[in-house]
Each structure stands twice: as C-alpha cells, then as structure tokens.
C-alpha cells in the first residue's frame, strides 16, 4: 500500500544518525566487490559455486515477461472479495506450480467493509453535492470498468450521518491542532477537512476524534500530488481533479490485520471480537474526496486566513473556518466478512530445511493496481520462474525458501498478518529473514530493514547493474547520497564501508514479520525517477505504468535480480550472513538521537515558558487577527540513559568479538566443520528475536520489537527505540525508566547471544 516517494534513492539510504564510523575504509576500495570476493557466510569454495548459480540466475529475468504478468494481473479491479482477486490468486498458484514449486492457497476469513452509502454535501451557505466519482479517461481502457471498481472510500470508517460546521485542519497531525488552538479554534462538534500527506491517513480521523470532531474528510491537494508537480493524467502522471486516494483508516499503529482477530489467525473457527469490541475501527465517519470535490467546500470557509505552510495549490484563499460552510457527511458500509487467498510456494532446503527464507509481495489492489502492488509482484513471479529453472539444472538451496503472494494488504496487511499469526510458533523457530517488495518504479535502489542485514544487502547491491547508468546499483546510490546528503551523510557515503539503510516503520507486509515476531526483514524497491498522483485511484493501471513509470520494465528486471540474488544468498550461505558491527553503530546513533530529543524538548519547553513570562505572545498578537498564547509547557526532568549506553557498549564489544572469531574460523582452513555451522546457525537464527520484548510496547502489546515500530501518531513513519522515544514525545516521563530498561535488556540479550555464537566459533570443533 506504501505510497511512492517523489524522490527516494538517497533519502532511503541515509539516516540522520551521526555516530562516528568505526569501519572507515579508503574511498577507492569502498563498494568495489569483484567476482573473486568471498561472499559473507561462505567458504571460498562454496562462494565460487554460489557465484556461478547467481550468474545463471541474473541472466534469466525477462522484461517482457514482467510486462505480461502486469498486463494480466491488473486487467480488472482486484480488491479483497472481488472475482478478479480470487482469479489472480488461482492464476498465481498455477504459475508457481508450473515452475516446479510446491504451492498452495491458504485461506482466511476477515472483516472487510465495503461502501453502501456515501454522501458529502455543502448545505450552507450555498449548496453543492460532491460527485464522489472518478471519470473514465479516453484512451485508458481500464478506467471505464466502473461496475467492478470499489467506490472511493476509507475502509474501517465508522458508520455515521452528521451535519456540522467545517474546519480546515491542514494535514490533521497533532501539531496542526496546536496551531488551531493558537487561533482559538476548537473542532469539537465540527467536521474537519484534512489534506493527505505528512502522516499515514488513519492518523487523521484518530487525532480528529481525540479533539472532539464528529466527522472527517480527507482530500488530495494539488500542491501535494496534483498539478503543482506536473501535468495531470492522462497528459502526465499527476492526479487529475476527480482522482481520489482510497485507503484503510484502521488504527494500524495499535495492531494491523483483521480487526476482529488481534494476535491470532483469522481462520474459519477463530474466536472473534464483536464489531463493538474491535479497537482499531475509527470513532467517527471519514471519507476521502478529490480536489475537484474539495474546492467548493474549502472556498466556502470563513474565519482567519491560514499560515503559509497550510496553503495548498487550489486557486482560493485558504481559511480555517469554522463555518459558515456546513457539511453533511453520511457513510454506511456493508460490514461483511470476505475470504482472503494467500498464495504460498515452497522450495525445500537440502541441508537446513528448518531454516526459512521468506519473500513476499501482496497481490490485492484497491482497484487495478498496476503500480501498487503489481510492479513488485511481477518481478517476484519472474524470480520464482528463474529459481524453478535453476532447480531443474541441479541447484539445491541449503535452506527452505518460501515465496508468498499476500491477499488483503491494502485494507490493513491482512493476508500477511493472519498468516504470521497462524504460524507464529513455527516462524519464531525457523525464520531467518523476510524480504518484501511492494510498489517499485524507476531510479535508485531503496533499501530499508534490519541492521543485522545492512552489510549483507550492501554486498548484494554491489553486484547488481543499474540499467540506466550501468554503474552498480550500490555505486549509483552512493553517488546520489553524496549529491543529496548533509555533510555527515556525505562523509559516511564516501568513507563508510556500507551505505546506511533506513529503519522500517510500517506500510507494507514486513510489519508482522519484523515487529510482531522479530524476524530480520528487508524492504526493497527502485524509485526516485517516477513521479505520480494516481496512488490508490482507478488511474493506477497498466496504461499509467507503461506511459509514466518503468516503461521498458528494465527496473522490473533489476528488482527481480536484486531480490532473487538476496534470497539465494541467504538460503545458500553456510553461515547465516548477519553482521553486528553496523547494528551496534546504528543503535549508538539512536541513543544519541534520544539524548538530543530530550535536550531539545527541555530547551524548547524552557524557552516557551520564558516567553510566556516575558509577555511575548500577548505583545505580538495582532489585535485585528488575534492569536492565543500556548499553555505553559512541562520541562522534562534529566533522564538516565546510562543503561542504554552500557548496553550499546556491550553490543559493540560482542560485535567485535564475533567479527574476529568469524575471521579466525574461516582462516583455520577452507571449511568450518559442518557440525559447528549447524550449532552456530541455530544460535544466529535468534538474533532479531532477541531484540523483542514479549510484553510489547507501552499501550500496544502487538508490537514487540524494541528498536523499530510505526509511530503511534505518524502511522507509517518509523520511531526507533519507540518505547523511549514516544515516552519523551508524548511527555510520559514517569514511564521512561521502564522503557529504557526494556531496550537495554534487549541489547544485552543480543550481546549475550552473539557471545554464545563467538564461543562456538572460537572452540572450533
Ligand atoms: Zn501496496
């Protein structure tokens, strides 16, 4: 479901941490792997064999095949519960089987509301009825399939019928309500209109309801993905005036998946909550609208003119309201359950079959979904075809490989979450890694994921050709990071052995793997050279993708090569290729970030309180456009971060010891004894699990990872060390010591696990 970024490559590869780089290598040698380089986790002999198989693999993906899959899979609207959703799943099943993989469909039964009634009308001071309909575009053949299209709506909105004054709330994030308060505007009893952007959409009705609003409209402003950024569809890739972004508004930062079965698989006989008991449905009705429908509503608002940062791209004067615009909003859904069809294909491992490498992409879409999700799924299918061909040539992966096509990602990561919850015990015992893709376009390789895989995925990127520049994907990312980075980021891009990868928040199917079970995960894509405004509209289709995105499917091929190589290498490595030095360096940076956050918020609170005492706000309020002084702020106390510092030190020492033990073990001879490999792998397998706490995060027990989570008030955006960070941000200072203790305990557990693996390697049996 993840939204494409306007510009991605270098952003995706740089984080703002400023920890010194321990692994400084000369610039000339950074990132120049050659075929003779021994792969991490392989002996020299095994490395040569692996490189041979990988060379065969990367020659196999064919752009025209990827194009063909996309044409077929995006031919009809294929949302959850639609005939095309089921037909696509059956077709995918047959393809996996035709490649020689052992495949089946696993079915679940989930709550998926669909719209029955949608009304938005301006009832005062003038009358206007929103059309709520995306028009057929001449020349775009699938845009006319109206009978099969899901109308534009927000899934899991509460039912409701409300009429109230309208208030414009900008992006509808918490700081926007502070600005409203400064202008004396209260949304209690009002309907708010927010624009898409800045937060995940489900945050907007959540925050609106917390402030007492009784209804919420979300519109796509042309400043954000419409004509301000380029020609609109079909002349260009941007959002036309009646284009609407559909999407889920379930409270995913609390838990994703079927709202009725938190924590357990939504199988036929699962124990289900009643609708009233499900905590992730919105409290107020919410509906998305186009900027064509939004403009008359916004133009009818009175009240003060909004600040510059709040102004969008419509040719009107943006005002806060409330009123005189009054809006009638009516939303009613059919709250039926629908079947999900997850397609699961397996290649059994030859040596360690109980260690699993899982690769997935969703297959359901909001409408035709050529970009989201078929641009990631089609390369996945081409990978599976190529791996099937390698099997026929005699390749046998050491570990078991599972290829998955998830259903129901768009409503709330349903297919992946229910599968993960159903198989949780087995996955905890067996999963080595999960690799996800979703939307993919043209440009730079974007990498996010677990930092124990940072070195591994940098190595893969060093071996992939970029189709436009014929540099490696890694080299192109490095040079883009130098061009676009801050001074620290430029230094790291030049001198650090590996490019930084971003931490994962949420927005696609890696979330249940990483954040519910602690399975090391990666999310990969190409992007940064495709701009668009068709996200979750009927115009995300084959016509759009083949005119404005990766039109030659050269990047579809590159994605298949990148992900397939990563899957093979993880599955074939004699030792699981996790690395801990980059993790230690990264968490050191997170702790520094937390200290800066604490200092910064104390400084900001002291400054505000000083200005209140000095009378700054009263003196600078314009009597003709008055603003209200903000309330006194609570100055946070001094926090004790020492447990975190000590745990990071322990982790760094363990990472160094492991690196030395590994180098020595390989240097002892060509091979580490087979029994040692098995013992060490059994320990390493638990590396990401050690970073979890079974009690979960404060207030959201489903999320157990102590380093990475989607923000409670950002939705997709990641919060690193989320328990501690959100305690500071949400001013829950009394909870902070407990959160610090939990994170430190996780890092100590990780250090102890790594020491155990080092001891096995040092013993050399
Ligand atoms: Zn998607």
């Amino acid at each position: 479901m993840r939204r494409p970024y306007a510009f991605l490559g270098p952003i995706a590869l740089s984080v703002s941490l400023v920890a010194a780089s321990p692994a400084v290598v000369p610039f000339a040698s950074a990132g120049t792997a050659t075929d003779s380089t021994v792969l991490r986790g392989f002996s020299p002999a095994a490395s040569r064999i692996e490189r041979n198989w990988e060379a065969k693999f990367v020659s196999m993906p064919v752009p025209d095949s990827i194009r063909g899959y996309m044409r077929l899979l995006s031919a009809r609207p294929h949302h959850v519960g639609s005939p095309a959703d089921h037909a696509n799943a059956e077709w995918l099943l047959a393809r996996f089987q035709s490649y020689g993989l052992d495949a089946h469909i696993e079915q679940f039964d989930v709550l998926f509301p669909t719209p029955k009634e949608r009304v938005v009308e301006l009832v005062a001071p003038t009358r206007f009825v929103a059309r709520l309909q995306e028009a057929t575009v001449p020349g775009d053949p699938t845009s006319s399939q109206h009978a099969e299209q899901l109308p534009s709506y927000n899934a899991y909105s509460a039912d409701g019928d409300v009429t109230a004054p309208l208030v414009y709330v900008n992006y509808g994030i918490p700081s926007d309500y502070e600005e409203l308060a400064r202008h004396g505007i209260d949304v209690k009893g009002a309907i708010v209109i927010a624009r898409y952007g800045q937060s995940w959409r489900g945050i907007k009705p959540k925050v609106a309801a917390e402030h007492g609003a009784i209804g919420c409209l979300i519109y796509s402003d042309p400043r954000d993905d419409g004509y301000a950024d380029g020609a609109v569809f079909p002349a260009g890739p941007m959002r036309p005036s009646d284009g609407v972004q559909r999407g889920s508004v379930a409270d995913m930062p609390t838990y994703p998946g079927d709202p009725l079965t938190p924590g357990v698989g939504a199988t036929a006989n699962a124990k289900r909550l009643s609708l009233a008991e499900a905590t992730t449905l919105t409290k107020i009705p919410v509906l998305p609208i186009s900027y064509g429908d939004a403009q008359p509503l916004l133009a009818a608002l009175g009240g003060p003119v909004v600040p510059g940062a709040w102004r969008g791209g419509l040719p009107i004067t943006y005002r806060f309201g409330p009123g005189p615009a009054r809006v009638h909003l009516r939303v009613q859904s059919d709250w039926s359950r629908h079947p999900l069809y997850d397609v699961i294909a397996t290649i059994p491992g030859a040596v360690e079959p109980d260690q699993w490498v899982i690769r997935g992409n969703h297959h359901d879409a909001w409408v035709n979904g050529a970009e989201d999700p078929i641009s990631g799924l089609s390369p996945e299918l081409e990978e599976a075809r190529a791996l099937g061909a390698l099997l026929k040539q005699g390749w046998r992966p050491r570990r078991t490989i599972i290829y998955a096509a998830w259903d129901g990602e768009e409503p709330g990561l349903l297919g992946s979450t229910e599968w993960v919850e159903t198989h949780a015990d087995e996955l905890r015992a067996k999963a080595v890694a999960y690799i996800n893709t979703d939307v993919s376009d043209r440009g730079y390789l974007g990498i996010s994921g677990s930092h124990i895989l940072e070195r591994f995925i940098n190595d893969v990127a060093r071996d992939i050709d970029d189709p436009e520049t014929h540099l490696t994907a890694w080299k192109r990312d490095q040079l883009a990071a130098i061009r676009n980075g801050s001074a620290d980021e430029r230094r790291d891009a030049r001198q650090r052995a590996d490019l930084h990868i971003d931490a994962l928040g949420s927005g696609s199917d890696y979330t249940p793997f990483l954040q519910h079970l602690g399975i090391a995960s990666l999310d990969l894509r190409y992007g940064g050279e495709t701009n668009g405004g068709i996200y979750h509209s009927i115009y995300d289709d084959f016509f759009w993708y083949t005119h404005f995105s990766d039109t030659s499917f050269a990047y579809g091929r590159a994605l298949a090569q990148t992900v397939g190589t990563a899957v093979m290498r993880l599955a074939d490595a004699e030792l699981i290729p996790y690395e801990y030095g980059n993790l230690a360096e990264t968490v050191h940076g997170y702790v520094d970030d937390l200290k800066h956050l604490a200092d910064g918020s104390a400084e900001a609170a002291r400054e505000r309180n000083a200005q209140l005492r000095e009378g700054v706000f009263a003196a600078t309020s314009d009597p003709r456009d008055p603003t209200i002084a903000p309330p006194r702020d609570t100055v946070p106390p001094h926090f004790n971060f020492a447990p975190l510092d000590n745990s990071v030190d322990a982790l760094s020492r363990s990472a160094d010891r492991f690196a030395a033990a590994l180098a020595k073990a390989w240097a002892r001879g060509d091979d580490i004894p087979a029994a040692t490999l098995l013992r060490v792998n059994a320990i390493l397998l638990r590396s990401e699990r050690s970073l979890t706490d079974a009690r979960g995060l404060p207030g959201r027990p489903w999320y157990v990872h102590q380093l990475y989570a989607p923000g409670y008030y950002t939705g997709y955006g990641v919060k690193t060390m989320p328990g501690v960070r959100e305690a500071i941000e949400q001013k829950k200072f009394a909870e902070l010591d407990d959160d610090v203790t939990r994170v430190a305990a996780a890092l100590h557990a990780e250090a102890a696990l790594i020491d155990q693996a080092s001891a096995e390697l040092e013993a050399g049996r």
Side-chain angles (χ1 to χ4, degrees), residues 71 146 184 189 260 365 369 428 499 535 644 650 746:
R71 184 196 295 278
H146 299 300
L260 303 184
R428 278 192 201 97
L499 298 171
Y535 179 60
L644 281 177

Side-chain angles (χ1 to χ4, degrees), residues 20-45:
S21 302
V24 172
V25 298
F27 178 43
S29 71
T32 52
T34 66
D35 278 2
S36 61
T37 311
V38 176
L39 295 168
R40 184 172 184 83
F42 293 82
S43 69

Side-chain angles (χ1 to χ4, degrees), residues 1-3 361-362 364 371-373 409-410 437-439 507-509 535-536:
M1 72 177 68
R2 158 184 73 183
R3 182 195 177 95
N361 193 107
H362 68 101
D364 69 300
E371 186 197 42
D372 184 2
E409 189 267 2
E410 292 297 357
T437 58
D438 193 332
V439 170
S508 197
D509 291 306
Y535 179 60
H536 291 185

Side-chain angles (χ1 to χ4, degrees), residues 595 598-599 602-603 606 635-641 728 733 736-737:
K595 291 174 183 171
D599 290 348
E603 175 55 32
R606 274 192 293 270
V635 179
H638 292 285
F639 300 122
N640 178 18
F641 292 117
I728 299 171
F733 303 135
L736 188 120
D737 279 345

